[in-house]
Amino acid sequence: MSEQRKQWIYDLLKKGIEHGDPEAVKVVDETQYKQHNPMTKEGDVGLAELFAKLAKTNPHVEILRIFSDGDYVFAHTEYDFSSVKICFEVFRFEGDKTVEHWDNLELKQPNNASGRSMIDGETKVADLEKTESNREIVINLVNQVLIGQNPEVIPLFFNITDYTEHSPELSNDLDSLKQALCKTLPDGSPYVHYQTLHRTFAEGNFVLTACEGLRVGVHTAFYDLFRLESGKVVEHWDTVEEIPPREIWNNQNGKF
């Protein structure tokens, strides 16, 4: 079932967006579907309208990585509409229909100081038997390093001698993460402040987290994808998206 669900989501994103194919949207259960992208309407009608509109822009969709975690399928994607955006998509299934959706998009940024893009790197899922232990490691990492803003414990969670960073503002040198955690605004508040870990998704050596907080004082969603080897993070990707004010939302389900 997990591989079939991955294929359904692949078709939903690829055929639905590139070609506006209404058949691809049928994997959505319109009677239950709960949409957490604040700017998208509810149900398959909302998606069908969105995809039909996007198809007119001759979009290109690249599905870079796709994973399954119980009733969830999550994917790392690149969308080329009028601009190029990198996204994490999360869908919750009940049986053969998806009934809930979350996402986080960011305009594609130039390669970082280590020459890595937001999307290149490893794609192969491994160590399925370590899914839960890797999930627990990343939960502790987020709570202690990102929410706790404690750079001193970075070596407990990251492979400091063999690490690849894809975040545009960081580099393979983990000192860049330490500096980001210590960076402050003129009023003394943190430049980046992870506040709440809402969700964690995992398959084998890949773990995705969805967090809420502030970036430069602005209400922000942080999605972080970690790849682990032997209990340590060896690779990281992310997207950072400002959460729009509630008065302009097209649904009231909340970002998370």
Side-chain angles (χ1 to χ4, degrees):
M1 179 63 84
S2 63
E3 292 306 310
Q4 180 62 73
R5 286 171 171 175
K6 287 181 184 179
Q7 186 61 53
W8 284 329
I9 294 305
Y10 183 96
D11 291 343
L12 174 66
L13 298 175
K14 187 77 172 175
K15 295 179 180 180
I17 293 176
E18 284 195 342
H19 307 294
D21 183 358
E23 288 296 314
V25 185
K26 288 185 177 180
V27 69
V28 177
D29 184 342
E30 72 275 12
T31 66
Q32 299 186 63
Y33 193 68
K34 193 171 185 178
Q35 173 63 255
H36 292 277
N37 181 322
M39 305 312 295
T40 302
K41 295 177 183 178
E42 291 276 32
D44 66 343
V45 174
L47 281 179
E49 288 179 355
L50 173 63
F51 289 177
K53 181 179 179 181
L54 291 173
K56 293 177 182 178
T57 69
N58 297 315
H60 176 69
V61 178
E62 190 72 26
I63 300 171
L64 309 158
R65 298 165 182 86
I66 191 163
F67 311 97
S68 178
D69 180 7
D71 286 331
Y72 296 88
V73 171
F74 56 107
H76 191 193
T77 62
E78 180 181 65
Y79 297 132
D80 187 353
F81 306 139
S82 55
S83 59
V84 180
K85 292 186 177 181
I86 309 304
C87 181
F88 288 106
E89 303 270 10
V90 179
F91 295 86
R92 183 173 69 84
F93 274 82
E94 290 184 1
D96 59 0
K97 297 286 188 178
T98 181
V99 296
E100 198 163 9
H101 169 254
W102 301 258
D103 64 9
N104 211 54
L105 297 99
E106 181 178 359
L107 281 171
K108 188 175 183 180
Q109 303 297 311
N111 290 0
N112 65 21
S114 295
R116 304 312 297 252
S117 79
M118 294 177 71
I119 59 173
D120 67 319
E122 185 59 71
T123 61
K124 184 179 179 180
V125 176
D127 301 329
L128 290 176
E129 74 282 1
K130 296 182 179 178
T131 296
E132 294 310 319
S133 61
N134 285 337
R135 189 198 309 271
E136 191 63 29
I137 289 166
V138 169
I139 289 172
N140 289 331
L141 181 163
V142 170
N143 283 324
Q144 294 184 43
V145 178
L146 301 179
I147 294 176
Q149 295 191 303
N150 183 3
E152 300 307 314
V153 298
I154 285 175
L156 297 179
F157 300 103
F158 292 84
N159 185 330
I160 60 175
T161 61
D162 184 15
Y163 176 69
T164 303
E165 178 61 68
H166 297 274
S167 184
E169 294 187 2
L170 302 177
S171 73
N172 295 348
D173 183 349
L174 282 161
D175 280 344
S176 67
L177 175 57
K178 293 182 180 179
Q179 292 166 7
L181 291 171
C182 295
K183 187 176 180 179
T184 59
L185 299 174
D187 65 1
S189 61
Y191 179 82
V192 174
H193 188 190
Y194 282 63
Q195 295 173 317
T196 305
L197 170 59
H198 285 280
R199 296 181 178 274
T200 307
F201 309 95
E203 184 179 18
N205 55 334
F206 285 88
V207 182
L208 176 70
T209 59
C211 294
E212 180 177 9
L214 300 172
R215 183 180 183 275
V216 198
V218 176
H219 192 199
T220 299
F222 304 95
Y223 274 51
D224 293 271
L225 180 65
F226 302 90
R227 183 172 68 86
L228 294 88
E229 289 181 1
S230 302
K232 294 289 183 76
V233 173
V234 295
E235 197 163 10
H236 168 258
W237 303 258
D238 66 359
T239 60
V240 178
E241 184 177 24
E242 180 179 335
I243 300 173
R246 183 175 292 270
E247 57 267 23
I248 66 170
W249 290 5
N250 284 322
N251 67 71
Q252 297 302 313
N253 297 322
K255 178 75 172 176
F256 300 96

